[in-house]
Amino acid sequence: MKVSRFGSVMALAVLLWCDVVSFAEAATLDELLELDLEELAHYPVVTPTKTKQPLSAAPGSITLITYDQIRRSTARTIPDLLRLVPGVNVRWNPMVQTIDIRSFGSNPFTSKVLLMIDGVPYNSWNKGGFPQHPGFDFFNIENVKHLEVVRGPGSALYGENALNGVINIVTLSGDEFQQTRASAYIGDRNTRTYNVTHGAKLNEEASIFASVRKSAGQLPSEIWSDEADANADAYDLFVKAKYQGWQASYYRRDDSFDGYRDVVVGPGVARTAEDIDQQVNIFSAAFAHQATDKSWSFETKASYSDRDGSHCAACHGPQQSSNFTKSADHGYQAFGTAQLGVHRVKNHDFLIGAEIRRLSAGDHSHEFEGAGSLNMMHGKGFDQGGDIVSYNKHALFFQDNIHLLDNKLNIVAGVRYDSKTSPMLFGSELFPRVAIVARPTRKLTLRAGWNRAARYPSFTELYQASWFLSTEVAGTATPLAVFSPGDDLQPEYIESFEFGVAYDFTKHLQGRLDFFQNDVEDPIVIAYPSAQRPSVLGFENHPNDARVRGVELAFNVVHSRDLSAFVNWAYQHNQEVGGGTDSAGYPLEFTYSSRHKINLGMTWNPSPAISTTLEVSWRDKYQVPAFWALLENGNARKNTFDGYAYLNFGVQYRLPFVVSGGKRPLTLSVHAKNLGNKRPQETLTGIGGPVPGREFFVRLEYDWIL
């Protein structure tokens, strides 16, 4: 079964090569490392409109994290980079990092943000977030050219999962990375990472980029270190090839985690499976072409991703079933899209596209309510209990980018139609959008927008029926709670309004101010155990709605190649609309959402051989679920935790080892993280929650220039 579906998808991929950035001209690494503010304003981005356009002309709130910023930062994972973006909240839960954008932490799986690689979506079909859990990070940062972070709904172009924002990881190509780099990164938590990256331009029309990484260490929560001393090993491979307008890539990730054991929970102890393994495969291919007179353009993409590995219940309740401790096929996502750009009509750029997607839960359905004898009725989309565990969905989208007043006023209007799923699980939806970008002067840009978006429940939210945190007392295992399936869940919706202003004060200083309001209907939340429903938890639509208002202010300074800095502040106010409670008796809880967040960073090069970086990320006090507060301190009302700040410092030194051309290829870096030694519980779980305090890491890398 798996071989046949893989073969069919790859046959489609042969016809649909390349990626979303194929129109962009490749830059060298030196050019990517030397961008001034004016060049940043003209940097091409694609995520806001699915078409290439300058950053300064893009509608909505978008943050670009450049290759230069990635190289200078102390962050060595993509989630850690995202901690420095205004309006983005990143936190560690026991298994992986959670990412929220202008939202609150009602779900631990990054289910409300669409995650893409080169414009192709890869959110998990079973849980949300990236299809890798547990894990340190979801993609090797050494492969990244830049990140495009859209803060605000994106369903008008991308459909489900783009409820609060879109993160697009744009990867390097051999055209840009014409060298070989070997690096080693070691430090606290038994961290050991070895990476080799190679890029080459084969001729004027072809290039190859490849990286391989071996990493080891510990997840940061106490349950993996102080109490369990559990380690993880991982391998990943990424290969990307280009030829003319064609491009294809393959990503492979293998993880192996030691489980934790004998963690005290109430009167008993909790254990996971002894070994937690997983393998993630991602194939992507596409083709792009533009007419010589630029009157029309065409792009098409196809992708396939799957996950084999341990069940969620390998951590939550391995004693429930021996099947949960075994590696299994956890399904796949097959995706294809095509879009036609029409530029013949004066002052209009039309975009017309279609998309098809197939999702399958695979053997993950063993944990679902209707799994029955655990034998799937393959090909019909149902399991033996009647649950829908695979479906197809189609979509059409249309967008008009209207240019007026000599391009000083742009209006982007679009709509996306998502058909009902087959078999019928969710109905059809329309996602409209209107955005305006006005540039009355060379220095001033005004933006405004309105759109509507939705997120469909995942298979886990709909059907999960396994134990949660099983404990042992005198050799007998019992669950702390049991997941209650939410098979009556409906999508959650958002209506978003935003207004922004950007101003270039000088050629060295830019500022941006954004206002937004998100009205959330039928929010999907976790209903925890209570007197009304003891030992039961599950996902459900809360009867109340939410209104989230916020302000984001950011300044970016590039004084010279030797000195640059940024500072941003985000304010978010959450308001409950309605007076109802969930089935456990709780109001809508705006958890893990700080009212104020401030980030700042500065890079200074005192000499050509030395670079220093300082980064500070501060979060205001935050609320945790009342249920966990009751277990932690015996009082559900004491559910507000103090704020905290992370202070990171890094030094890079190009060692005086000189090769031909006067280059210093050998670089030594020292990263000191969390110098204030803060140990917050970024996610409260009742067992081993605090993250590590002060940590030190050393990185050594060598570049062979081709």
Side-chain angles (χ1 to χ4, degrees), residues 297-419:
S297 59
F298 176 75
E299 294 184 23
T300 184
K301 308 182 195 71
S303 70
Y304 170 87
S305 54
D306 65 29
R307 178 185 182 273
D308 288 78
S310 300
H311 289 270
C312 294
C315 289
H316 291 164
Q319 299 92 338
Q320 181 182 4
S321 169
S322 60
N323 287 294
F324 295 160
T325 63
K326 301 175 183 177
S327 183
D329 171 15
H330 278 195
Y332 67 95
Q333 174 178 247
F335 170 86
T337 185
Q339 65 184 52
L340 174 67
V342 180
H343 320 294
R344 295 178 180 272
V345 181
K346 184 179 180 180
N347 296 332
H348 291 267
D349 286 315
F350 296 107
L351 182 69
I352 306 166
E355 178 184 300
I356 183 172
R357 188 187 309 251
R358 176 166 177 80
L359 307 179
S360 172
D363 291 336
H364 187 60
S365 61
H366 292 179
E367 299 177 50
F368 296 163
E369 178 185 38
S373 65
L374 310 184
N375 294 317
M376 296 284 292
M377 296 171 65
H378 290 293
K380 298 182 180 180
F382 296 86
D383 68 11
Q384 288 197 344
D387 295 334
I388 296 175
V389 291
S390 65
Y391 63 81
N392 301 318
K393 187 171 70 64
H394 307 82
L396 300 172
F397 55 89
F398 172 82
Q399 177 181 273
D400 184 10
N401 193 347
I402 307 169
H403 311 280
L404 302 172
L405 303 178
D406 293 328
N407 232 17
K408 292 182 179 180
L409 177 65
N410 288 351
I411 301 174
V412 178
V415 65
R416 174 180 167 118
Y417 169 75
D418 277 32
S419 70

Side-chain angles (χ1 to χ4, degrees), residues 423-656:
M424 178 60 184
L425 182 59
F426 305 115
S428 59
E429 297 282 355
L430 277 175
F431 301 122
R433 174 200 190 187
V434 176
I436 300 173
V437 180
R439 291 177 294 277
T441 70
R442 185 177 60 86
K443 292 187 174 184
L444 177 65
T445 303
L446 303 174
R447 293 178 175 86
W450 167 85
N451 60 53
R452 183 170 172 82
R455 183 183 77 85
Y456 298 165
S458 66
F459 287 130
T460 293
E461 291 169 321
L462 288 165
Y463 303 128
Q464 187 78 12
S466 66
W467 290 3
F468 177 72
L469 285 183
S470 58
T471 62
E472 287 188 18
V473 178
T476 301
T478 57
L480 176 67
V482 176
F483 282 103
S484 174
D487 47 15
D488 59 348
L489 273 175
Q490 297 301 309
E492 54 185 335
Y493 297 90
I494 190 171
E495 187 174 14
S496 179
F497 305 85
E498 65 178 21
F499 172 78
V501 54
Y503 192 76
D504 297 336
F505 294 93
T506 71
K507 66 178 182 179
H508 301 298
L509 173 63
Q510 290 177 338
R512 176 157 183 161
L513 181 65
D514 292 292
F515 302 87
F516 70 89
Q517 175 176 304
N518 294 336
D519 292 318
V520 184
E521 305 170 15
D522 300 323
I524 298 174
V525 301
I526 300 175
Y528 291 95
S530 66
Q532 293 92 327
R533 34 178 277 167
S535 302
V536 174
L537 81 162
F539 296 93
E540 60 184 57
N541 295 104
H542 200 282
N544 296 342
D545 294 338
R547 174 163 291 168
V548 180
R549 294 190 178 103
V551 182
E552 296 158 358
L553 178 64
F555 293 97
N556 191 16
V557 179
V558 179
H559 185 268
S560 66
R561 176 69 182 122
D562 297 330
L563 181 63
S564 62
F566 70 86
V567 59
N568 58 67
W569 163 70
Y571 169 82
Q572 180 174 314
H573 176 69
N574 304 313
Q575 178 184 351
E576 189 174 19
V577 180
T581 61
D582 62 23
S583 60
Y586 290 109
L588 185 60
E589 296 184 304
F590 297 97
T591 54
Y592 306 110
S593 174
S594 300
R595 180 163 290 195
H596 297 274
K597 296 183 282 287
I598 297 176
N599 302 307
L600 62 91
M602 183 179 70
T603 299
W604 176 50
N605 299 340
S607 76
I610 299 176
S611 175
T612 63
T613 298
L614 174 68
E615 295 169 336
V616 181
S617 180
W618 174 77
R619 301 292 182 268
D620 197 5
K621 60 185 179 181
Y622 57 102
Q623 181 182 344
V624 299
F627 167 76
W628 288 114
L630 181 63
L631 291 184
E632 183 84 2
N633 55 41
N635 189 341
R637 295 188 177 183
K638 292 184 178 180
N639 63 342
T640 300
F641 281 22
D642 292 336
Y644 56 93
Y646 291 147
L647 172 62
N648 302 332
F649 181 74
V651 178
Q652 294 182 359
Y653 176 52
R654 291 192 174 275
L655 297 172

Side-chain angles (χ1 to χ4, degrees), residues 99-153:
I99 303 166
D100 295 313
I101 297 179
R102 294 178 174 178
S103 183
F104 47 95
S106 57
N107 188 300
F109 298 122
T110 309
S111 58
K112 300 182 182 183
V113 176
L114 180 65
L115 300 173
M116 302 195 299
I117 301 175
D118 289 332
V120 176
Y122 288 110
N123 285 64
S124 170
W125 43 98
N126 282 323
K127 301 179 294 294
F130 203 73
Q132 171 200 345
H133 196 80
F136 292 109
D137 61 338
F138 47 78
F139 193 70
N140 187 352
I141 198 172
E142 300 294 331
N143 305 331
V144 181
K145 176 183 177 183
H146 68 259
L147 296 173
E148 298 174 11
V149 183
V150 176
R151 306 188 306 279

